[in-house]
Amino acid sequence: MPLKGAANKRGAGVGGERTAPEEPKPAQKFYSQAEKDGDVLDILLTDITPNPFNDIRTMGDLNALAQSIEEDGLLQSIVVMHTEEFVARWPQFADGPKAIKTKYVIAFGERRWRGTEIAGKPFISAVLNNAVIPKIRRVLLVENLQRQPYSPMEEARNFWRLHTEEGMSYREIAKEVKIGSTHVSRRLQLIALPESVQAAVEEGSLNVTDARRLEEALKDSPEEQEAAWRYAVQNEVPIKDAIQAINAGDVVVDEGQKDEGAPEGEGTPEGEQSDIPEQRTDSEQDSDGPDEPEQQNLPEAKPEQSLAPQEKPKPERNEPPAPKARASTAADRSARERNSAAADRTQACLHLVTSGFVPDEKQLNALYARTLLSPIQQGPAKTRAHAWLREAGKDVIGVSDSDSYFQAVLSSGNDDLVQLATFVTALAASEIRAKDNRRQWDRTDAAHVEFLIQAAGYVVATQWERDQLTKFGVTFDASTPTDEPVL
């Protein structure tokens, strides 16, 4: 009786002719399930690309690691992500010179990957984890900050990225990196400094304490910060003395100087806002005419003229500087008087805080209106107000960080303390606005000075400020001689 079923695949069928064996199915089709998170894979090293967000500057002794891997094997698998999913979230690595062409990207374990390569092994054990892709940059930043020492400016730039690009608050950064929130806020102060001052901190010629002192004392003016730093270097004086020289008007600040800010992609956020004051440089360039120096040099570049080599080259070069020098003198005097007036007003404001002056309802309403309805820099205003309160001995809570101080004031339940802090902050905001050398005065600034005249007995001692007040109809004592005669 013939057996049921098809012909015997290993030979001839029962009672039939011998047939050729069938081709076996590829083994991988039996294991054709898609790779998923948690899978442990053996991957060719050449199928893996290092993580572009990994900021490890030194890998340590890779030869020792390679020897360990060669002798004992890889003790811990690396973690990888699928490139296809990685570039979907981070499209800057999909095309162009930064494009990633391999199937996998390292999430964690680049040292082990490099050590395995040195050990001469073609494969490496890796755990797939695509879930970490959206937060990989944040995780790597925090991990590297915890694992290795950074310079102050490197810390500042990394904290800045976490704050602006990853949306982390100061407290969240401090918690993740396991440091104090005050350390984070102090490092982030460095980002607001001009590039030249940041470079000085980077190379170690300016210590962090003095850099922060520059930022706090001259918070609203990057030009003054840079001028103070250069003055300190050139005259070999402490930063404190340089700041005093700036406030006293002894140093001419180049208002047209344009600072480039932090390096692109490092210190400067793209389209983000922060409580760190912005460096407004575009308006400076527009208002002060950066092309003027080039125009002064134009007479030198006349190759088409058929002058003999000895034919009056020097007079042609030397004629333009005379009118330029006269214009510069007037501009220098104006800048010097404006800085001097700002220093005098600061002392008047501090006098109001120290004396315990209490404004009447009309004065208070006008002050608050100027603060609320005019563009102000709230962060710098709070910092300056806190400094005034400390200097006047009114900082009764004793918290060093300005943000924390004002939060403590609000939570104190002390109405008098809240009112004092609010008044001083509004006063500081008005003064910062008036001191800003990058803008022209308006009626709001004149009203601020009028308040100081009435409340603090402020004496208008510079011709520049007198001219501004006269323009807006503010009455002042003109019998007092000015600090400098007008030429």
Side-chain angles (χ1 to χ4, degrees):
M1 182 176 187
L3 297 176
K4 295 181 179 180
N8 189 342
K9 293 183 180 179
R10 299 183 62 183
V14 177
E17 296 181 357
R18 188 177 181 88
T19 60
E22 291 185 2
E23 292 293 332
K25 294 181 178 180
Q28 64 267 28
K29 290 187 178 180
F30 183 79
Y31 302 99
S32 60
Q33 295 179 353
E35 296 172 348
K36 61 183 183 300
D37 279 11
D39 284 353
V40 180
L41 312 170
D42 284 330
I43 306 174
L44 275 170
L45 294 181
T46 53
D47 282 344
I48 303 173
T49 296
N51 195 306
F53 292 131
N54 196 7
D55 189 30
I56 294 181
R57 296 156 296 163
T58 174
M59 294 290 171
D61 188 357
L62 290 177
N63 290 324
L65 176 61
Q67 184 177 356
S68 172
I69 293 173
E70 188 173 4
E71 294 174 356
D72 304 321
L74 187 66
L75 301 181
Q76 182 182 3
S77 301
I78 67 171
V79 179
V80 297
M81 306 166 287
H82 277 138
T83 297
E84 183 179 1
E85 296 194 29
F86 180 81
V87 299
R89 174 61 180 82
W90 307 102
Q92 62 266 44
F93 303 109
D95 300 300
K98 296 183 179 180
I100 299 175
K101 303 297 185 181
T102 58
K103 183 178 179 180
Y104 302 96
V105 182
I106 296 175
F108 311 107
E110 184 175 337
R111 287 189 76 251
R112 282 166 277 159
W113 176 74
R114 293 186 182 277
T116 302
E117 183 179 37
I118 295 173
K121 296 182 179 296
F123 289 88
I124 191 170
S125 175
V127 178
L128 183 66
N129 186 353
N130 288 323
V132 77
I133 290 175
K135 56 183 179 181
I136 186 61
R137 179 168 58 178
R138 169 176 174 170
V139 172
L140 285 175
L141 276 173
V142 171
E143 183 181 83
N144 288 334
L145 283 165
Q146 290 175 331
R147 183 170 55 192
Q148 59 187 338
Y150 279 84
S151 72
M153 284 309 310
E154 287 173 331
E155 273 194 337
R157 294 185 187 110
N158 281 321
F159 291 162
W160 179 261
R161 291 190 185 103
L162 290 172
H163 179 56
T164 59
E165 298 173 7
E166 302 302 321
M168 297 176 67
S169 68
Y170 292 5
R171 291 182 180 178
E172 287 174 333
I173 296 171
K175 183 178 179 181
E176 289 284 351
V177 185
K178 296 179 174 56
I179 57 176
S181 57
T182 301
H183 179 82
V184 175
S185 63
R186 287 177 175 175
R187 282 291 184 265
L188 284 172
Q189 281 182 278
L190 302 177
I191 293 296
L193 292 166
E195 183 183 3
S196 60
V197 181
Q198 291 187 32
V201 177
E202 190 82 72
E203 67 186 18
S205 57
L206 177 64
N207 65 57
V208 174
T209 300
D210 281 340
R212 289 182 51 244
R213 185 174 286 120
L214 275 176
E215 199 277 332
E216 290 175 354
L218 306 171
K219 182 176 285 290
D220 55 320
S221 178
E223 298 83 6
E224 290 182 344
Q225 293 166 1
E226 183 165 7
W229 161 238
R230 296 191 184 280
Y231 179 86
V233 172
Q234 294 168 2
N235 295 277
E236 298 182 351
V237 298
I239 288 295
K240 286 184 178 180
D241 294 348
I243 292 172
Q244 290 177 358
I246 290 287
N247 288 331
D250 296 336
V251 181
V252 177
V253 179
D254 183 3
E255 298 179 23
Q257 187 172 7
K258 184 179 185 296
D259 188 82
E260 297 297 334
E264 183 179 355
E266 293 190 359
T268 304
E270 298 177 2
E272 298 286 349
Q273 295 294 327
S274 171
D275 49 357
I276 298 178
E278 296 180 354
Q279 299 180 32
R280 296 180 291 171
T281 55
D282 293 338
S283 61
E284 300 165 37
Q285 186 174 5
D286 293 339
S287 62
D288 292 312
D291 293 331
E292 183 180 355
E294 297 179 8
Q295 295 171 0
Q296 293 294 340
N297 291 330
L298 285 177
E300 296 184 53
K302 295 185 178 181
E304 297 179 1
Q305 289 185 351
S306 57
L307 291 177
Q310 304 295 327
E311 199 172 48
K312 296 183 181 180
K314 291 184 179 179
E316 191 172 359
R317 290 193 188 103
N318 293 337
E319 287 174 4
K324 180 181 178 182
R326 288 195 295 271
S328 176
T329 300
D332 290 350
R333 182 178 299 280
S334 175
R336 185 164 56 248
E337 289 189 2
R338 184 164 185 171
N339 288 335
S340 179
D344 291 342
R345 291 195 308 272
T346 296
Q347 292 303 313
C349 293
L350 186 59
H351 170 71
L352 290 180
V353 180
T354 305
S355 64
F357 172 79
V358 179
D360 60 34
E361 184 177 358
K362 181 179 179 181
Q363 291 173 326
L364 201 60
N365 288 340
L367 177 61
Y368 289 165
R370 288 196 295 272
T371 305
L372 293 174
L373 301 181
S374 300
I376 65 166
Q377 298 182 51
Q378 184 179 15
K382 290 166 66 178
T383 300
R384 180 165 297 192
H386 190 207
W388 285 350
L389 288 167
R390 283 196 308 243
E391 190 169 349
K394 306 286 186 179
D395 181 25
V396 296
I397 296 180
V399 178
S400 59
D401 177 67
S402 59
D403 286 335
S404 301
Y405 172 79
F406 287 107
Q407 186 61 46
V409 168
L410 283 174
S411 304
S412 67
N414 187 329
D415 292 340
D416 292 337
L417 191 59
V418 171
Q419 185 174 359
L420 173 63
T422 306
F423 164 65
V424 177
T425 303
L427 187 65
S430 293
E431 177 51 36
I432 286 175
R433 190 173 187 272
K435 187 178 184 293
D436 189 347
N437 291 336
R438 294 160 292 184
R439 51 177 295 276
Q440 299 295 321
W441 265 23
D442 56 23
R443 293 187 183 278
T444 300
D445 304 298
H448 167 64
V449 179
E450 185 176 29
F451 169 69
L452 293 179
I453 293 172
Q454 297 171 353
Y458 172 64
V459 176
V460 184
T462 66
Q463 188 61 45
W464 179 89
E465 195 169 45
R466 290 185 178 192
D467 292 343
Q468 298 299 312
L469 296 179
T470 301
K471 185 192 305 183
F472 296 106
V474 174
T475 303
F476 57 90
D477 183 6
S479 62
T480 305
T482 58
D483 291 339
E484 293 186 75
V486 178
L487 297 179

